[in-house]
Amino acid sequence: MADQADFDINFALKHYLSDPATVPTPDADGSLLECENDPESLTSGVINGVLNPIVDSIAENPDALTRSSSFDTLQFLLKSVSLLPNHSLSKIFDLIISGLSFEADIVHNESDAEEQDNVGHHKQLLEMYAFLLQWSISAMEVKAAEKPANGPPARGRGAAKGAKSKTSSKDGVWDSTPQLQTALETMCKVLKLKLARVFMTTSERDTFVGLFTRSVYLILESEQRIKNTALRMHAFKVLCIAVKHHGHAFGAQTSIIQNLSYFEHLAEPMAEFLQILAEQYDHPQLTEEILRDLSNKEFNGNDTRGPKSVATFFIKLSELAPRLVIKQMTLLIKQLDSEAYILRCAIIEVCGNLISDLSKQEEPGNNHKNQINGFFDILEERFLDANNYCRCRNIQVYMKLCDLEQKFPKRRQMAAQLAARSLEDKSSNVRRNAVKLLGKLVSSHPFSVMHGGQLSFAEWNQRLQAVEVELNALKPPVGSPGLAEQGGNPDMTVDTALLDEATEIDAEAKEANPLTEDQKAAIVRKAAEDAATTELMNRLQLTRKYYSEAIRFIEVIHDATPVVCQLLSSKNKSEVIEAMDFFVIIDAYKIEAARTGIRRMLRLIWTKGNSDEGKGVQSHLIDCYRGLFFIAPDTFNDNDAANYIARNMISLTFGATPAELTSLEQLLSTMMKAQHISELVITKLWQVYGVQKQEISKNQRRGAIIVLGMLAMADPDVVIKEMGTMLRIGLGPLGRADLALAKYTCVALRRMNPSKRQAKDATTSASKMPNDHAVLGKLASMVEIISDNKEWFGVAEQAISAIYALSKHPDTLSSAILRRKTKQVFQQQSVQQDQDAMEGVESQGALPSPPPEGPPKKQKSALALSQLLFIVGHIAIKQIVHLELCELEFKRRKAEKEKSKPPNASPTKRASTDQDELDQIGGTTEDDFSEVMNHIRERELLFGPTSLLSHYAPLVTEICSNNTKYNDESLQAAATLCMAKLMCVSSEYCEKNLPLLITILEKSQNPVTRSNVVIALGDMAVCFNHLIDENTDFLYRRLNDKDSSVKRTCLMTLTFLILAGQVKVKGQLGEMARCLEDPDKRIADLSRMFFTELSTKDNAVYNQFIDMFSHLSAATDLEETSLKRIIKFLASFIEKDKHAKQLADKLAARLARCESERQWNDVAYALSLLQHKNEEIQKTISAGFRLVEVTA
């Protein structure tokens, strides 16, 4: 034909790949050429007018494309794709696809007929269609990229840039996915032809196949396209046929590696493609080549995109086709040395996937076992990877392996040991995952075959000992290997010739004397017994091995528990939550060490957080405790469930420290407010407390009232309703016999009155009792009982506190108690001097409720006086608090009166005649009232002529001043405590006796006395700051006390005073810094906490850094390594560059004045920790220490 197109695929590709706009189209339709310089004139009418005849001609015969006018017209339209409407591009696309499909059918039919006449023509026609198909797919993707999808993903996004407003409204949304699928199906149809007969050379065929594969890779580059499963499978099919039958393997290898580098979303699809290629098309070679290529590739540690994509590819491929990956593992292992940690993470996960696959094989051979062991070796090594993300991934892989049916007992044991070691990792994320792994190892342990699944060490150890006893009791059968006969063998020295001769004789004898039936039966019976014994021994030995492995695993968990307890104090809240979950898990398996952690968890109820983290920890703690103690098994009825919960609540108090009881109180009161504790449970607790018909454990009864007192913090009605029970039990004969029970009963009674947080409620004053109330009478009698038991002090303290909480006029009642106790003490002593013991018993009869135990003569005079002074001191402190509450109550009423004055002035005045005296001074100003209260505190309580306490102040001072005369240790301790409390009442008394108190602090041999004085000085610093501020050196000196309890008390007191701003720091922080290296871990942790909190207060560490450094450097008894650790910790709080430079300048000035090399080294080390960037300082340090001696 005259106008046949002269098409050269290489020429066309050259222009198309460089710039599609440069492809020449001289024979395009004239109407289109006219629009080349006027894009606006390229309307749908013009396009359809040109396109429709071409569609008709190609529909009739695909050869019509060879006409130069038709071919160039289509090329021109594709060049102008940005101006084409969507429906026109769709029509062109359909035209090309249908023409190519038609031509493929023709070629297929002719190849079956073995006709070779038109090969050249078909070759050119296929190339032309394939070329246009590639161009049209590219055009579709360009239009899709130009306009973001407004509809669902994978829909067409084609509206031209220049004619967007014209086409978008009339084209609507164009979904090109079905057409792309048809195009890919057509490609598969063409690639299934015998192309070797059409394309004579390999290069021609590769060029033709490349037209299809290039389009496929272009489609895959779209993240939205590849999410369509059908489209993705069609694309994979094209590539699989091209690789399998048309030598596209090398091209695919290059393209896949490039795609992994540039397109992160292709990592998993490429792995999926290689799996399909290997399994459905039996072509694993490409996968192997790609893995070889990637294993030799080196990645920069700073590059994240490339390694991330490759890592995802490795992981996905190992999940889909582990058999292919395992063949190349010897090469892939090299990536464990890669700088890119992401790749190391990937290889770690690949190892886990391969172990998982190998373990599921039905008949694993020795080779498989060796491979599994090799992969486990790699995973165990990676616990020490330099990057914390790799260590985390390694632990996560182990967690997945725990779910496998095959348990790998030896490897689990090693994993447990490595996870326990990782609990001390510097990375919080690693520690958190290590805790999860230990919990997973426990919950999936392999020791549930025998004896259930519990892991109590005591039970397993008992079983092991029982097996040992059985083994030792069994007698090994004769001739068992490795077992020597009993006794010596004298024949060992006989000549060999004699032995041979004897054997021959024996043999002849045996032949001569055949065995009888009985002998044969005995031999058979003996053999059977030996066999049974051997079998039993083998079974017992296996059982012993099983028990030993279980015990080793339990021991690892026990050893890890203290470290997990430390993690409960972590700043990372997710780490804390994982630690809590760990203890819940191991408690479910009855591991004894769980109880320690569960108790330690209690302190988390105080967790604070600006965000929801703090609340998250608290709520998780409550959930854990509810699951452990407050939710009964489903099989229990309501009554049994209440018994179960009540018993659990009581058990929480057994062996608890005061700190744990305080935390438990907060937890239970929080749960009570949230209504997690039912009325039936509270009833059961009262039943335990009030039972009298049978003997029960003292601890159980105490625990019941402790818990009830805690619940009353949230709801006072809990104890108000059972007031009579408490008077009958806790303040009755049982309480007198068990003073601890009486103490906790007093605490519960005190809770009848709302706490300080509820002090503003109107019900506060209404709940006060008159002094003749039965409760107050019982409390007073508990204070006055005579007892040598040390528990008496606790009872007296709580009883007096309860009186001040419940009584309307506690000062009156306290005065009466004090008078009676004084009379009791001093009368008793005078009577004992002249009368016998029976008269002492009669003097006791004046008590309201005499104690059941022995007569008062058994009480030492020093102890009786100690108890009196204790009461004096505690009443003095409670009286101060009472005065402060009176002042607050007056101010509250005054404020309420002023608020309610305009609307209704009358309701503020109460009609009742027995109201508190505060109502009588309604016209007094707040300042006047405060001045009166202050005068009472300063002058009246200890110095007033009518004050009862004024008679005791000189007595206390006298006893403390004459410790040789009054040499009883407990009396001195009580007198010191009493004097310290009285000093908190009046500044005058404090100033007068402060030197004496400080002398006691310095000279006393009793650590309890020294601790009490330290606490008292802290209280005085708050009350009378001007007196204590000058004497803080005595307080700091206790940081060097030889007793760790005194040192700890001093550190806690100073921590409070400094952080609360009650005392000024004058260079003494160096002593607190030394506590960072204290042998007592609690002191070191407290000091660390102090400096962490101090660092949040206005550059406090920066301001004191030089003074602290001077103090530490001058200390001769501080080791250099300890000093460096302290300085390093303190320097971590210097975060601002400005501060670092200023400190560096001050320290650098000291280098020239250093008198010893040790001092110079200390300064140099401190400078190395500061980011000063001063070259002069660096030069001075580089020069080293120089000692200059000045001669006369």
Side-chain angles (χ1 to χ4, degrees):
M1 292 167 31
D3 59 346
Q4 186 173 4
D6 184 15
F7 179 75
D8 182 0
I9 184 62
N10 294 317
F11 176 80
L13 277 175
K14 178 182 176 182
H15 285 279
Y16 169 77
L17 294 175
S18 62
D19 182 7
T22 62
V23 175
T25 53
D27 296 329
D29 191 278
S31 58
L32 295 179
L33 293 175
E34 291 176 1
C35 299
E36 190 167 11
N37 296 322
D38 185 13
E40 294 293 329
S41 61
L42 188 64
T43 60
S44 297
V46 174
I47 295 170
N48 290 331
V50 174
L51 200 55
N52 289 337
I54 300 175
V55 172
D56 294 338
S57 61
I58 291 179
E60 184 179 343
N61 186 352
D63 289 354
L65 186 67
T66 58
R67 296 175 188 165
S68 59
S69 58
S70 299
F71 187 67
D72 282 359
T73 298
L74 291 175
Q75 286 192 111
F76 184 91
L77 289 173
L78 290 174
K79 280 200 300 183
S80 309
V81 65
S82 60
L83 304 174
L84 292 181
N86 288 339
H87 64 84
S88 298
L89 182 57
S90 177
K91 185 184 289 187
I92 295 171
F93 197 39
D94 285 337
L95 167 67
I96 297 168
I97 294 170
S98 59
L100 179 60
S101 179
F102 198 177
E103 175 62 19
D105 291 337
I106 295 173
V107 172
H108 176 69
N109 294 332
E110 290 188 2
S111 63
D112 288 344
E114 300 294 334
E115 296 181 9
Q116 299 291 329
D117 298 338
N118 296 324
V119 169
H121 173 69
H122 289 309
K123 170 179 171 292
Q124 183 183 27
L125 202 54
L126 286 172
E127 288 176 342
M128 293 173 74
Y129 274 112
F131 176 73
L132 290 178
L133 179 61
Q134 173 189 268
W135 198 342
S136 59
I137 290 175
S138 175
M140 289 174 64
E141 294 304 306
V142 167
K143 287 182 74 68
E146 284 177 358
K147 182 182 177 183
N150 294 324
R155 287 194 173 272
R157 293 169 285 219
K161 279 185 178 179
K164 188 183 294 183
S165 59
K166 295 181 180 180
T167 59
S168 61
S169 60
K170 58 186 178 183
D171 288 345
V173 179
W174 174 36
D175 184 6
S176 58
T177 304
Q179 288 177 294
L180 280 175
Q181 289 183 23
T182 307
L184 293 170
E185 288 173 359
T186 305
M187 290 183 192
C188 293
K189 185 177 181 180
V190 173
L191 290 174
K192 288 178 181 177
L193 298 174
K194 298 176 181 178
L195 295 181
R197 297 184 179 181
V198 179
F199 299 94
M200 298 305 175
T201 64
T202 305
S203 62
E204 290 177 345
R205 185 191 63 179
D206 289 347
T207 303
F208 176 74
V209 172
L211 296 173
F212 290 161
T213 57
R214 198 175 292 113
S215 300
V216 172
Y217 292 130
L218 185 65
I219 293 170
L220 293 177
E221 287 175 10
S222 169
E223 192 170 353
Q224 293 298 329
R225 298 281 191 208
I226 207 168
K227 288 179 182 177
N228 187 308
T229 305
L231 190 64
R232 187 171 72 248
M233 290 299 111
H234 279 87
F236 289 166
K237 188 175 181 181
V238 173
L239 294 178
C240 287
I241 297 172
V243 171
K244 176 71 175 175
H245 300 291
H246 301 296
H248 181 58
F250 183 75
Q253 178 182 342
T254 306
S255 298
I256 289 172
I257 292 174
Q258 286 180 347
N259 286 339
L260 290 177
S261 301
Y262 297 112
F263 303 101
E264 290 185 20
H265 70 276
L266 282 180
E268 293 190 357
M270 288 298 98
E272 189 180 358
F273 159 65
L274 291 176
Q275 180 225 0
I276 293 170
L277 179 63
E279 293 183 0
Q280 297 181 17
Y281 291 85
D282 192 25
H283 196 281
Q285 295 90 334
L286 178 60
T287 307
E288 294 170 1
E289 288 297 327
I290 289 174
L291 289 176
R292 284 195 199 99
D293 200 346
L294 290 175
S295 65
N296 293 321
K297 197 170 183 180
E298 293 185 4
F299 293 93
N300 191 341
N302 298 324
D303 181 14
T304 55
R305 188 172 180 180
K308 183 179 179 182
S309 184
V310 173
T312 309
F313 170 76
F314 283 158
I315 294 168
K316 189 66 177 178
L317 189 61
S318 67
E319 292 173 358
L320 298 174
R323 308 293 170 82
L324 294 178
V325 177
I326 202 168
K327 294 178 182 178
Q328 305 301 323
M329 275 305 289
T330 51
L331 296 174
L332 291 177
I333 289 297
K334 292 191 293 186
Q335 290 296 347
L336 286 174
D337 299 325
S338 172
E339 292 182 10
Y341 74 88
I342 299 178
L343 276 177
R344 301 204 300 275
C345 288
I347 300 302
I348 289 168
E349 194 156 348
V350 166
C351 289
N353 291 337
L354 297 182
I355 291 173
S356 178
D357 178 69
L358 289 169
S359 68
K360 293 174 184 175
Q361 296 195 15
E362 295 180 358
E363 297 180 0
N366 288 331
N367 186 36
H368 287 165
K369 290 180 181 178
N370 292 336
Q371 288 176 326
I372 288 174
N373 288 331
F375 294 141
F376 267 119
D377 289 341
I378 292 170
L379 293 179
E380 288 170 4
E381 288 174 5
R382 289 298 113 185
F383 270 98
L384 295 176
D385 195 284
N387 188 277
N388 61 312
Y389 289 106
C390 294
R391 300 196 295 274
C392 284
R393 183 65 62 87
N394 194 49
I395 293 172
Q396 290 162 2
V397 166
Y398 265 101
M399 281 190 268
K400 291 180 183 176
L401 295 177
C402 287
D403 293 326
L404 295 177
E405 291 183 10
Q406 192 171 344
K407 297 298 184 182
F408 305 107
K410 292 181 180 178
R411 295 294 180 173
R412 289 174 73 93
Q413 179 71 24
M414 180 57 70
Q417 293 173 1
L418 294 172
R421 184 180 67 186
S422 295
L423 292 174
E424 301 183 61
D425 197 282
K426 64 181 181 181
S427 166
S428 171
N429 208 15
V430 176
R431 296 194 300 269
R432 180 172 61 84
N433 280 282
V435 174
K436 287 180 73 174
L437 175 56
L438 284 173
K440 190 73 174 176
L441 287 168
V442 170
S443 61
S444 61
H445 72 84
F447 306 111
S448 56
V449 179
M450 300 168 66
H451 317 296
Q454 305 303 332
L455 294 175
S456 169
F457 179 83
E459 292 178 6
W460 282 92
N461 195 38
Q462 189 176 356
R463 291 166 190 157
L464 178 62
Q465 290 175 357
V467 169
E468 294 280 5
V469 170
E470 286 188 54
L471 272 171
N472 293 333
L474 279 177
K475 184 180 179 181
V478 178
S480 296
L483 297 172
E485 293 181 7
Q486 297 292 328
N489 187 1
D491 293 337
M492 291 297 288
T493 58
V494 179
D495 188 83
T496 310
L498 292 174
L499 286 174
D500 290 341
E501 196 174 315
T503 306
E504 289 172 8
I505 293 169
D506 288 344
E508 290 172 3
K510 285 181 181 178
E511 289 176 5
N513 300 311
L515 296 173
T516 63
E517 290 298 324
D518 292 341
Q519 288 175 328
K520 290 180 180 179
I523 292 172
V524 171
R525 192 164 55 250
K526 184 70 168 60
E529 289 175 359
D530 290 349
T533 303
T534 305
E535 182 183 353
L536 181 58
M537 284 192 69
N538 290 337
R539 191 167 69 251
L540 287 174
Q541 285 170 349
L542 288 174
T543 305
R544 179 174 62 182
K545 182 181 179 184
Y546 178 78
Y547 288 166
S548 299
E549 288 178 354
I551 287 173
R552 279 203 304 274
F553 176 71
I554 296 169
E555 285 174 342
V556 172
I557 302 301
H558 275 266
D559 293 341
T561 303
V563 187
V564 182
C565 281
Q566 293 177 11
L567 298 184
L568 288 171
S569 305
S570 172
K571 292 181 180 178
N572 189 306
K573 304 307 177 188
S574 59
E575 196 175 346
V576 174
I577 288 173
E578 289 297 342
M580 283 194 274
D581 290 339
F582 169 77
F583 285 116
V584 172
I585 291 171
I586 66 173
D587 180 72
Y589 286 88
K590 300 292 185 273
I591 296 176
E592 294 88 343
R595 288 293 160 175
T596 306
I598 289 169
R599 281 195 180 276
R600 188 77 176 268
M601 282 159 55
L602 270 174
R603 66 181 64 181
L604 297 173
I605 194 66
W606 307 104
T607 305
K608 295 180 180 178
N610 296 328
S611 61
D612 293 334
E613 285 186 343
K615 294 179 181 177
V617 171
Q618 283 188 358
S619 61
H620 195 79
L621 173 68
I622 292 172
D623 291 342
C624 289
Y625 263 77
R626 283 192 68 199
L628 288 167
F629 302 107
F630 295 88
I631 298 178
D634 296 334
T635 55
F636 283 21
N637 58 35
D638 290 346
N639 187 64
D640 291 342
N643 287 333
Y644 172 85
I645 294 169
R647 185 178 290 274
N648 282 343
M649 292 173 75
I650 292 171
S651 70
L652 287 172
T653 65
F654 296 163
T657 64
E660 288 169 350
L661 286 176
T662 305
S663 299
L664 181 62
E665 180 179 83
Q666 181 70 12
L667 174 70
L668 292 182
S669 62
T670 304
M671 294 181 70
M672 187 70 182
K673 289 175 185 174
Q675 299 181 342
H676 290 323
I677 299 170
S678 67
E679 286 292 332
L680 186 55
V681 172
I682 296 172
T683 304
K684 295 293 181 183
L685 289 169
W686 280 117
Q687 288 175 4
V688 173
Y689 174 71
V691 66
Q692 287 180 292
K693 292 182 180 179
Q694 65 183 72
E695 289 289 329
I696 65 167
S697 163
K698 286 185 177 181
N699 286 334
Q700 194 174 13
R701 199 188 298 270
R702 290 174 190 169
I705 193 61
I706 290 171
V707 171
L708 288 165
M710 292 173 176
L711 298 179
M713 284 280 289
D715 183 10
D717 288 341
V718 170
V719 290
I720 291 174
K721 293 175 182 177
E722 297 288 341
M723 198 186 304
T725 306
M726 289 189 287
L727 296 184
R728 187 178 72 253
I729 302 296
L731 301 185
L734 286 171
R736 290 173 178 270
D738 181 8
L739 292 182
L741 179 67
K743 178 178 71 173
Y744 292 119
T745 303
C746 293
V747 173
L749 283 168
R750 200 177 73 200
R751 301 280 161 75
M752 289 196 299
N753 196 31
S755 61
K756 291 179 182 178
R757 285 172 289 183
Q758 300 166 306
K760 294 182 180 179
D761 296 347
T763 56
T764 303
S765 59
S767 63
K768 297 283 186 178
M769 301 174 178
N771 285 349
D772 58 354
H773 196 281
V775 171
L776 297 177
K778 284 282 190 179
L779 288 170
S781 67
M782 291 306 296
V783 178
E784 297 171 33
I785 63 172
I786 297 175
S787 173
D788 290 347
N789 194 332
K790 288 185 178 179
E791 288 284 352
W792 178 91
F793 293 96
V795 175
E797 178 186 4
Q798 296 302 332
I800 293 170
S801 298
I803 288 171
Y804 271 88
L806 301 175
S807 173
K808 280 185 181 179
H809 305 290
D811 44 358
T812 307
L813 183 56
S814 298
S815 298
I817 293 171
L818 201 50
R819 285 191 178 93
R820 289 198 296 270
K821 187 68 178 177
T822 305
K823 186 176 180 181
Q824 182 190 104
V825 170
F826 288 103
Q827 268 193 353
Q828 179 184 349
Q829 302 309 319
S830 61
V831 168
Q832 280 181 357
Q833 291 174 5
D834 303 319
Q835 298 181 356
D836 59 6
M838 290 304 296
E839 290 172 328
V841 175
E842 291 171 1
S843 69
Q844 190 183 340
L847 286 176
S849 186
E853 298 190 25
K857 68 174 185 179
K858 292 184 179 179
Q859 189 173 30
K860 297 178 182 178
S861 58
L863 181 58
L865 188 55
S866 299
Q867 291 179 356
L868 174 62
L869 296 181
F870 180 82
I871 295 173
V872 170
H874 198 59
I875 287 177
I877 286 292
K878 299 307 291 186
Q879 188 64 27
I880 300 171
V881 177
H882 178 62
L883 291 174
E884 290 175 353
L885 291 175
C886 289
E887 187 175 352
L888 288 173
E889 178 69 9
F890 167 76
K891 291 178 179 178
R892 184 184 68 81
R893 292 185 188 179
K894 186 83 173 173
E896 284 183 359
K897 186 176 181 181
E898 289 176 357
K899 283 182 182 177
S900 58
K901 212 169 189 180
N904 48 352
S906 57
T908 57
K909 219 171 185 182
R910 302 187 184 183
S912 179
T913 57
D914 59 343
Q915 287 297 324
D916 199 279
E917 291 85 350
L918 295 173
D919 285 334
Q920 300 174 9
I921 51 175
T924 310
T925 64
E926 290 185 10
D927 292 340
D928 292 341
F929 191 86
S930 298
E931 191 176 332
V932 170
M933 286 296 182
N934 192 43
H935 176 76
I936 293 172
R937 176 174 171 171
E938 284 288 340
R939 300 296 311 158
E940 295 294 330
L941 286 178
L942 295 183
F943 302 103
T946 60
S947 172
L948 188 60
L949 291 178
S950 64
H951 299 290
Y952 296 94
L955 172 64
V956 173
T957 306
E958 170 68 18
I959 294 173
C960 291
S961 302
N962 297 285
N963 61 336
T964 53
K965 183 177 180 181
Y966 308 98
N967 56 6
D968 187 87
E969 188 176 358
S970 60
L971 176 59
Q972 282 295 323
T976 304
L977 181 60
C978 180
M979 185 175 73
K981 289 180 177 179
L982 293 176
M983 288 171 70
C984 292
V985 175
S986 167
S987 60
E988 183 179 339
Y989 187 80
C990 179
E991 187 174 7
K992 181 180 177 182
N993 291 283
L994 187 58
L996 175 58
L997 191 69
I998 291 174
T999 303
I1000 294 172
L1001 178 63
E1002 294 289 317
K1003 303 292 185 181
S1004 175
Q1005 299 297 315
N1006 189 345
V1008 176
T1009 300
R1010 296 201 300 275
S1011 294
N1012 285 339
V1013 174
V1014 166
I1015 296 171
L1017 287 172
D1019 290 339
M1020 291 172 212
V1022 177
C1023 300
F1024 314 118
N1025 187 271
H1026 62 287
L1027 296 177
I1028 304 301
D1029 199 38
E1030 299 173 357
N1031 297 285
T1032 51
D1033 285 342
F1034 296 103
L1035 205 52
Y1036 282 99
R1037 208 174 291 171
R1038 288 304 97 205
L1039 291 173
N1040 293 318
D1041 197 285
K1042 58 186 177 182
D1043 189 274
S1044 60
S1045 64
V1046 179
K1047 191 186 297 186
R1048 189 165 61 251
T1049 303
C1050 182
L1051 184 58
M1052 292 172 65
T1053 305
L1054 286 169
T1055 296
F1056 163 73
L1057 293 175
I1058 294 171
L1059 294 180
Q1062 297 294 338
V1063 297
K1064 296 178 181 178
V1065 180
K1066 300 176 182 177
Q1068 303 102 327
L1069 283 185
E1071 286 297 331
M1072 299 190 75
R1074 288 192 64 170
C1075 293
L1076 290 165
E1077 287 295 311
D1078 196 274
D1080 189 330
K1081 189 175 184 302
R1082 289 176 295 179
I1083 293 175
D1085 290 343
L1086 187 60
S1087 180
R1088 190 175 293 269
M1089 183 273 291
F1090 164 72
F1091 281 104
T1092 303
E1093 290 295 324
L1094 186 67
S1095 66
T1096 63
K1097 296 185 178 294
D1098 297 330
N1099 309 320
V1101 176
Y1102 159 74
N1103 294 332
Q1104 298 293 327
F1105 188 88
I1106 296 296
D1107 289 337
M1108 287 189 288
F1109 177 81
S1110 300
H1111 180 89
L1112 294 169
S1113 184
T1116 56
D1117 57 338
L1118 186 64
E1119 294 182 4
E1120 187 173 0
T1121 53
S1122 298
L1123 174 83
K1124 287 184 176 180
R1125 284 194 293 268
I1126 295 172
I1127 296 300
K1128 184 176 182 180
F1129 176 74
L1130 296 175
S1132 66
F1133 298 115
I1134 309 300
E1135 297 175 347
K1136 295 181 180 178
D1137 291 341
K1138 178 179 69 173
H1139 292 163
K1141 290 176 182 177
Q1142 290 173 353
L1143 288 178
D1145 292 339
K1146 293 177 182 178
L1147 288 171
R1150 294 178 171 227
L1151 287 171
R1153 300 196 301 270
C1154 291
E1155 297 178 357
S1156 66
E1157 189 172 0
R1158 164 72 190 275
Q1159 289 182 359
W1160 192 93
N1161 289 337
D1162 293 344
V1163 177
Y1165 180 75
L1167 285 168
S1168 69
L1169 298 173
L1170 300 171
Q1171 304 297 323
H1172 52 81
K1173 299 178 183 178
N1174 189 320
E1175 293 184 3
E1176 291 297 325
I1177 296 176
Q1178 293 292 352
K1179 288 179 182 179
T1180 306
I1181 294 175
S1182 300
F1185 172 68
R1186 294 176 182 176
L1187 182 61
V1188 179
E1189 294 184 2
V1190 181
T1191 56

